[in-house]
Amino acid sequence: MASPVFFYIISILFLQLVLVFGNVTLSSILSTNNNNSWLSLSGEFAFGFRQLNKNNTNFFMLAIWYNKISDKTIVWTAQNDNNLVQAPKGSQIQLTSGGLTLTTSQGDSLWTAQPNNAVSYGTMLDTGNFVLVNKTSTFVWESFNFPTDTLLPKQSLYLSGTLTSRFSETNFSSGRFQLYFNGDNVWMSPLAWPTQFRYNFYYRIVVPSNFDSSSLVFDELGDIYVETNNNNNGTRIKLQDTKWKNLVLDSKLYYYRATLDYYGVLTQYSHPRDINATQGWSIVRYVPDNICIAIFNEKGSGTCGYNSYCSMENQRPSCKCPYGYSLIDQSNQFGGCQLNFTLGCGADNGEGLNVKQEDLYEFTVVKDVDWPLSDYEEMHPYSQPDCQQSCLHDCMCAIAVFNNQTCWKKRLPLANGRAQSGGQLVLVKTRITPLGRVTPLGPNPSFAANDSKKDDQVKPILQGLLIGSTVINSILLAVVVFLTLLKPKRVVQGATLFETNLHSFSYEALKEATWGFREELGRGSFGIVYKGELKAEASCNVVAVKRLDRLIEDREKEFKTELRAIGKTCHKNLVRLIGFCDEGMHRMLVYEFMSNGTLADILFGQNKPIWNVRVEFALGIARGLVYLHEECDSSIIHCDIKPQNILIDDYFTAKISDFGLAKLLLADQSRTNTMIRGTRGYVAPEWFKNVPVTAKVDVYSFGAMLLEIICCRRSVVLMESGEEEKAILTDWACDCYMEGRIDTLVENDQEALDDIGRLENWIKIAIWCIQEHPEMRPTMRMVIQMLEGVVEVPNPPSPFSFDSIP
Ligand SMILES: *[C@@H]1O[C@H](CO)[C@@H](O)[C@H](O)[C@H]1NC(C)=O
Ligand SMILES: *[C@@H]1O[C@H](CO)[C@@H](O)[C@H](O)[C@H]1NC(C)=O
Ligand SMILES: *[C@@H]1O[C@H](CO)[C@@H](O)[C@H](O)[C@H]1NC(C)=O
């Protein structure tokens, strides 16, 4: 039995050992060129350089972070007047008796911490505070006195202190919100970014006037409150809001931090200290309880950017664009939305004054949304039709809100948008897309070349397609189609849709069924899909309504032809078309609703589907494609096979959607004047070449998708440095196959590894499918035979080994 004395000696030894480890002696240096950092005694916190962001290896920030948890969450960064210090590669930080100096490799000083007193050593404390200490053991500089957006237990904010949010989740530059003292009260305000000018507050903690000196305290136990001092009688003032609960906190089990998040909420988070517990930060409590409605200023955009609206989801604000608008920056949902069309007076695009507004604009009705401060007119008493007419004929009017005989007209930019129920109808004005005029995104030589031809027929189509590209969800797969010539197909006159079982719906009926096109299910290259509910007349109640607003008038006859083809299809692995709407400008398709979302949601979501389920998905999709290519009346090439276009029903059956529509975009499948631009990894190479497009493009896409199903990862993923070879799945899978290490493709997936025979065969099949040359690829019928194991799979050549063959 070990005696207590033994433990005592051991602990003393241990303590001294790490104490030396915890001190930073004078003239110590950290450089961006090595991964060293200064650790606290327990190793829980580290001080050192961190990359500015994942992809930027040329710039670094000086930071303090939680070192033991896998997130390595940053709690402090070095700043000069609220500007993040960005240190180029090669910079170093040195501790001298004068303090800390951060210099570039050329010796330019970027940042300093220079106390008045001579420093004898520095220490990263276990509280997360980096301190400089003088000879008589006094802290002469503390990172705790220069907080950025985060407070830690034992850290307090005093009268001149501020917390400034970062710009976005991963961008540590100074952002759009601040928490600060003004008098004795604590306030939170939006900033007029990029300046530090403060707009009206949206949250405050009021300190009664008979108290002097107050501070925002985050105590050792994890509680946060304002402490005031009146003749040394401390009083605690609690934060007030429904989401700021009184809690029993346990700082022995959890790390706590309080961060002014980049969307303006002061949130207290917890993370288990136990590295075996489920990792990740959880929200403990926060103020204000609804940031979406808390900010209410004449100036500034609110939590979300301009022209968007905000709602609380999972205790966080989420920003959405109204119908007809899309995110300005796809990677930043808080960055605001832009119009996908021009708002003007009709004569704006040289159409002449004789064009009626009715032919240019339409309204979509939305409920439970408002932009309360963007009004410029309020009309009363007024009817809803009058309200809509008034907005229609008013070039300034972007949105009209109608409620109880009052009509508010709103102008751009729309600010302070929020989800808010109150019975108001929001009439969103959008340009009718067939005549739409949209500025192409970015320079586009092919577009410019076509444009100069001033071909009346081509122009609207091009623009319609470009509108499509602004709303395609997955940027990686955004495919822009350009047509230089159109050759309308011959249509058999007099044919009707009676031969199919399709319902024909009126526009009004579908508008009603979708509650005014309110609940968006997704967006694709053809338009937006809404959820809807039909009255008993149809066999299935819940439906998905796809608005084909990318079509133009000339395609009308083809629309009917295609509809007939789609209507006749019937296969377990195809999404069933129930009906359509073909009224005036409006083209819509009504499909059965699939409760389990898309294959992409399932494959790339949190819980990976098990191997056997994935095997069934792949077999089902392959069967669906065989049917489309060979078994239905007229062969249908899908042209856009990807996990986003595969839907999953209640019984986990994979069903192909969006089939039969490609021809509405591509004038003639076999012509070579069709050009598609896409991202390597999904799109068959012949799209870029002067060769006919055949059913083999679907085989290629199926191959790429089969690899995704096998590996449960996306076709193209940005990888950290050192793993770049994995970025493009098709390339990586070929490399792994050629090098005989296919097991690395399904690392940690024991079920897949247990089925190694199938795994190897299927990877071989995938490689056959993604052969560069279409004639090398098998047909879908051969693919299904190989997948089912009926036919042996020969060893595939490298897909790129025939590159030299013309
Ligand atoms: C480390 O810090 C302790 C005080 O916490 C001090 O007594 C000791 O001298 C320091 N060690 C070194 C090597 O500076
Ligand atoms: C250390 O700092 C404290 C506080 O500033 C000061 O009172 C003390 O004299 C300093 N000690 C030395 C040796 O300078
Ligand atoms: C952070 O955002 C600001 C403002 O948009 C931008 O200027 C800066 O380049 C961004 N920094 C990084 C590392 O992306």
Side-chain angles (χ1 to χ4, degrees), residues 718-790:
L718 287 176
M719 282 288 171
E720 297 193 10
S721 57
E723 301 216 292
E724 289 93 343
E725 84 274 6
K726 296 185 183 175
I728 295 183
L729 181 56
T730 48
D731 295 4
W732 182 47
C734 290
D735 292 347
C736 290
Y737 170 73
M738 298 300 163
E739 291 157 20
R741 45 184 186 94
I742 55 168
D743 49 315
T744 53
L745 288 168
V746 289
E747 240 167 2
N748 305 326
D749 188 344
Q750 197 52 47
E751 293 162 326
L753 290 169
D754 289 345
D755 196 6
I756 191 87
R758 191 202 305 263
L759 177 68
E760 185 175 350
N761 272 336
W762 282 27
I763 286 169
K764 287 201 280 188
I765 298 169
I767 296 176
W768 275 113
C769 292
I770 57 169
Q771 290 294 314
E772 179 98 9
H773 295 278
E775 60 277 15
M776 294 282 290
R777 296 174 211 148
T779 62
M780 276 318 293
R781 183 168 298 283
M782 284 153 76
V783 169
I784 189 75
Q785 286 170 343
M786 291 193 286
L787 288 174
E788 285 171 342
V790 183

Side-chain angles (χ1 to χ4, degrees), residues 511-630:
K511 203 167 172 182
E512 191 182 334
T514 55
W515 310 283
F517 304 104
R518 202 171 75 192
E519 197 174 326
E520 197 176 309
L521 290 172
R523 290 169 182 229
S525 32
F526 297 96
I528 303 184
V529 186
Y530 299 90
K531 191 172 178 177
E533 217 173 301
L534 294 177
K535 305 275 149 54
E537 69 199 64
S539 51
C540 112
N541 278 341
V542 187
V543 292
V545 178
K546 183 181 294 253
R547 275 179 84 145
L548 300 178
D549 41 11
R550 319 287 167 232
L551 298 186
I552 45 89
E553 276 171 299
D554 285 61
R555 310 258 98 179
E556 187 157 2
K557 284 168 185 168
E558 290 187 24
F559 178 68
K560 293 219 168 71
T561 320
E562 295 313 321
L563 214 52
R564 201 172 305 119
I566 303 168
K568 276 197 246 165
T569 58
C570 178
H571 190 274
K572 183 173 174 236
N573 298 109
L574 299 183
V575 175
R576 193 164 67 88
L577 183 68
I578 297 168
F580 63 95
C581 161
D582 186 9
E583 191 182 306
M585 292 287 189
H586 304 290
R587 303 272 147 42
M588 285 178 237
L589 297 175
V590 182
Y591 291 99
E592 56 181 334
F593 174 73
M594 293 290 137
S595 56
N596 275 318
T598 70
L599 178 61
D601 300 337
I602 290 185
L603 275 188
F604 315 130
Q606 289 245 296
N607 302 313
K608 310 259 172 262
I610 59 168
W611 175 245
N612 285 339
V613 169
R614 273 141 61 204
V615 166
E616 283 309 313
F617 285 162
L619 291 170
I621 299 162
R623 288 182 193 122
L625 279 173
V626 172
Y627 175 87
L628 282 180
H629 289 177
E630 299 179 16

Side-chain angles (χ1 to χ4, degrees), residues 162-451:
T162 62
L163 293 182
T164 307
S165 71
R166 63 183 77 156
F167 186 75
S168 73
E169 188 149 20
T170 52
N171 182 334
F172 288 77
S173 295
S174 161
R176 303 189 293 124
F177 302 93
Q178 204 161 63
L179 179 149
Y180 57 99
F181 280 93
N182 193 350
D184 279 345
N185 302 339
V186 179
W187 310 70
M188 284 157 71
S189 289
L191 299 177
W193 192 88
T195 68
Q196 302 279 310
F197 180 75
R198 292 172 188 144
Y199 292 134
N200 252 343
F201 71 94
Y202 55 89
Y203 183 82
R204 70 173 159 172
I205 308 163
V206 181
V207 177
S209 56
N210 55 331
F211 291 102
D212 41 77
S213 76
S214 52
S215 53
L216 181 68
V217 174
F218 195 167
D219 72 18
E220 199 168 352
L221 300 173
D223 206 5
I224 302 176
Y225 45 84
V226 172
E227 191 164 66
T228 62
N229 232 332
N230 199 18
N231 308 324
N232 290 330
N233 273 333
T235 302
R236 290 179 179 188
I237 298 172
K238 287 185 190 312
L239 277 64
Q240 299 283 327
D241 236 334
T242 54
K243 301 294 181 188
W244 193 270
K245 296 163 276 196
N246 285 321
L247 293 167
V248 181
L249 299 156
D250 192 341
S251 53
K252 287 204 182 63
L253 288 181
Y254 294 98
Y255 292 117
Y256 291 110
R257 69 178 164 97
T259 300
L260 181 63
D261 285 314
Y262 63 94
Y263 40 78
V265 179
L266 180 69
T267 311
Q268 184 172 7
Y269 292 91
S270 70
H271 190 293
R273 285 176 184 265
D274 181 359
I275 49 163
N276 297 319
T278 314
Q279 299 294 288
W281 290 97
S282 316
I283 294 178
V284 177
R285 49 187 176 174
Y286 55 95
V287 288
D289 59 3
N290 186 341
I291 188 80
C292 297
I293 57 174
I295 300 179
F296 198 77
N297 285 334
E298 294 281 349
K299 295 194 188 105
S301 66
T303 319
C304 294
Y306 288 108
N307 298 334
S308 55
Y309 63 92
C310 173
S311 58
M312 291 298 282
E313 282 171 19
N314 294 324
Q315 315 196 71
R316 288 191 173 91
S318 152
C319 307
K320 296 195 184 74
C321 300
Y323 176 75
Y325 294 61
S326 58
L327 285 179
I328 296 172
D329 173 2
Q330 286 294 335
S331 62
N332 180 8
Q333 65 151 306
F334 288 83
C337 308
Q338 62 194 354
L339 283 75
N340 296 341
F341 56 92
T342 327
L343 193 63
C345 295
D348 49 331
N349 292 300
E351 280 138 343
L353 288 161
N354 53 346
V355 177
K356 286 204 202 105
Q357 297 290 314
E358 282 81 352
D359 294 335
L360 289 178
Y361 297 100
E362 63 179 347
F363 286 85
T364 306
V365 182
V366 195
K367 277 183 187 160
D368 301 338
V369 180
D370 203 5
W371 289 268
L373 291 175
S374 300
D375 311 330
Y376 65 94
E377 294 277 20
E378 176 174 343
M379 293 168 293
H380 182 92
Y382 226 45
S383 71
Q384 189 194 329
D386 286 345
C387 183
Q388 188 163 321
Q389 280 301 311
S390 169
C391 185
L392 179 67
H393 292 282
D394 180 346
C395 316
M396 310 292 161
C397 182
I399 278 182
V401 172
F402 180 80
N403 195 5
N404 201 12
Q405 292 195 23
T406 307
C407 174
W408 292 269
K409 289 202 282 185
K410 296 177 188 290
R411 65 173 152 234
L412 299 173
L414 301 161
N416 290 293
R418 73 253 338 257
Q420 196 167 54
S421 49
Q424 74 277 15
L425 292 179
V426 179
L427 311 166
V428 184
K429 186 173 172 184
T430 48
R431 197 94 174 200
I432 295 171
T433 36
L435 298 171
R437 293 288 184 267
V438 168
T439 323
L441 298 171
N444 229 314
S446 334
F447 179 82
N450 289 330
D451 204 21

Side-chain angles (χ1 to χ4, degrees), residues 117 134-136 138 140:
N117 247 271
N134 75 2
K135 261 220 174 67
T136 45
T138 308
V140 288

Side-chain angles (χ1 to χ4, degrees), residues 97-109:
S97 61
L100 287 167
T101 345
L102 173 59
T103 49
T104 64
S105 53
Q106 281 85 39
D108 298 329
S109 168

Side-chain angles (χ1 to χ4, degrees), residues 40-51:
S40 69
L41 289 184
S42 63
E44 284 173 10
F45 283 95
F47 177 96
F49 288 105
R50 289 284 294 267
Q51 254 173 250

